[in-house]
Amino acid sequence: MIHTGSNPLLKGVGIHKKYPVKKGWIDTKQSYVHALNGIDLSLDRGETLGLVGESGCGKSTLGRILARLEDDYEGKVLFGETDVTSLKGEALKAFRRNVQVVFQDPFSSLNPRMKVGNIIREPLDIHKVGTPSERRERLNELLHLVGLQADYASRYPHEFSGGQRQRIGLARALALNPELIVCDEPVSALDVSIQAQILNLFLDLQEKLGLTYLFISHDLHVVQFISDRVAVMYLGKIFELAPKENLYHSPLSPYTKALLAASPLPDPEKKRPVLRLKGDMPDPINLPTGCLFHPRCPYKEKKCENAAPALVEVAPGHYVRCFLHHDDVETATV
């Protein structure tokens, strides 16, 4: 179990998630897309954990499971000392007050038929927080907190820009004073200049409110800016996890090195080592044997095809899943 602090807010233990699929109308054999293949993760209070990886690696699925928006998975999700995996009814409703989500597309995540004031105030109504006058006061406070004018409450989502809509989504997420916010690609749909404004807003709110973030993104520069630690995912497994300084300056996993090599630098005078991967990500229905990354890895050895490396701490807080840095073999298999 990856554990970095004495007071973790959220832990995922041995999380597996698969989706049933059928290959055709005639073929009735059931197959499965293996979205998550044994995830252990721990978030400390007040930190930002960045989660990166190629599209389809399971980042968003993991975020939805940790927020209990997905069910039918194996493993446990612990919020403090509470196992939220089997929570139902009022207990689950209470958990949702503490964990909220900011989604990638700020337009599709807002009800186009509701005014902004009703959208932001809806969590307060559902959880019956305060009197009607206190809810109106809280609405104005939330709008001010995310940098919007009070009179915006009477408008509809289509009347706003993408950056403003994301501020509305963030205000809704903050309505119940959550401790953790799962941010699923919250700036990927925005222009670069607007991205910077929203990222700075996230940081300001974290300092003011003591928030904890799970920040999911495919943009390595965004993750480097906002995160304290970074986890790199590939085919439903974490291949490297480290403080951001270690991961960006001294990556150990060949997959992490390849991601960084493919990320452009803003300074044209600086060059990164070229590390090209072979082929595309394997089919998540038919996972490779051994190390999941070995079909594309430029450093693969014979044992990589048959044995799966475990995720091992090779330096304080720096975990890697690769035989280049340790010889431990993973006991659990998908």
Side-chain angles (χ1 to χ4, degrees):
M1 176 65 200
I2 298 173
H3 179 57
T4 59
S6 59
N7 190 25
L9 176 65
L10 185 76
K11 290 192 290 186
V13 183
I15 298 177
H16 290 257
K17 176 67 177 179
K18 57 186 180 181
Y19 297 96
V21 294
K22 287 186 178 180
K23 295 183 179 179
W25 291 103
I26 299 176
D27 186 359
T28 58
K29 183 180 178 180
Q30 189 100 340
S31 299
Y32 293 92
V33 172
H34 298 277
L36 298 175
N37 302 309
I39 296 289
D40 288 338
L41 202 61
S42 175
L43 279 79
D44 290 335
R45 295 178 186 274
E47 80 161 338
T48 299
L49 175 63
L51 195 59
V52 300
E54 292 174 276
S55 296
C57 72
K59 305 185 300 294
S60 295
T61 300
L62 178 58
R64 292 175 64 86
I65 285 176
L66 294 178
R68 273 298 308 271
L69 298 181
E70 289 264 1
D71 289 318
D72 299 324
Y73 58 88
E74 298 177 25
K76 289 184 178 181
V77 176
L78 303 174
F79 187 79
E81 299 299 324
T82 304
D83 184 354
V84 305
T85 308
S86 57
L87 290 183
K88 296 180 180 178
E90 290 299 318
L92 179 58
K93 189 176 179 180
F95 166 74
R96 297 210 188 282
R97 294 186 61 161
N98 288 310
V99 179
Q100 293 289 310
V101 183
V102 176
F103 296 96
Q104 177 178 357
D105 185 351
F107 188 63
S108 64
S109 64
L110 302 176
N111 190 332
R113 295 179 178 84
M114 292 177 65
K115 293 183 178 180
V116 165
N118 293 331
I119 290 173
I120 297 174
R121 196 170 53 237
E122 187 177 29
L124 302 174
D125 296 334
I126 291 173
H127 290 266
K128 298 179 174 60
V129 177
T131 63
S133 62
E134 288 172 337
R135 293 174 196 173
R136 287 192 295 271
E137 184 177 338
R138 176 62 174 161
L139 168 62
N140 293 331
E141 177 187 333
L142 289 165
L143 288 168
H144 175 74
L145 196 60
V146 299
L148 296 175
Q149 299 177 25
D151 61 350
Y152 287 0
S154 60
R155 302 183 187 179
Y156 289 91
H158 73 269
E159 300 180 65
F160 296 93
S161 66
Q164 289 173 323
R165 286 196 287 261
Q166 198 58 287
R167 291 174 187 265
I168 294 167
L170 182 54
R172 178 180 59 184
L174 292 171
L176 298 171
N177 291 314
E179 295 183 71
L180 170 67
I181 296 182
V182 176
C183 309
D184 189 3
E185 302 269 12
V187 297
S188 63
L190 307 178
D191 293 337
V192 174
S193 60
I194 306 301
Q195 284 186 11
Q197 295 176 22
I198 300 300
L199 290 173
N200 285 323
L201 177 60
F202 273 109
L203 292 175
D204 291 342
L205 292 171
Q206 185 175 43
E207 184 177 352
K208 290 178 182 177
L209 305 176
L211 296 169
T212 302
Y213 295 136
L214 175 63
F215 197 94
I216 300 167
S217 179
H218 64 274
D219 190 323
L220 292 170
H221 295 298
V222 166
V223 170
Q224 183 179 19
F225 175 77
I226 199 169
S227 300
D228 300 305
R229 292 186 301 141
V230 180
V232 180
M233 283 188 65
Y234 183 78
L235 276 180
K237 284 184 178 290
I238 293 176
F239 269 65
E240 188 164 2
L241 186 149
K244 69 175 179 182
E245 294 82 5
N246 295 6
L247 188 128
Y248 280 85
H249 296 115
S250 303
L252 298 179
S253 169
Y255 180 59
T256 306
K257 292 178 181 179
L259 287 181
L260 291 172
S263 179
L265 291 169
D267 186 349
E269 299 298 323
K270 293 183 178 180
K271 302 293 182 182
R272 278 197 173 120
V274 176
L275 182 60
R276 294 185 176 91
L277 299 182
K278 301 176 182 178
D280 297 322
M281 187 183 294
D283 185 355
I285 297 177
N286 300 304
L287 294 174
T289 59
C291 176
L292 295 177
F293 186 58
H294 88 262
R296 305 174 69 192
C297 182
Y299 306 112
K300 70 176 180 181
E301 302 175 0
K302 187 63 179 178
K303 64 180 178 182
C304 302
E305 300 178 12
N306 304 309
L311 186 66
V312 173
E313 188 175 20
V314 296
H318 196 151
Y319 298 80
V320 67
R321 185 187 300 277
C322 184
F323 285 131
L324 291 174
H325 302 284
H326 61 80
D327 294 321
D328 291 349
V329 177
E330 194 169 50
T331 55
T333 58
V334 177

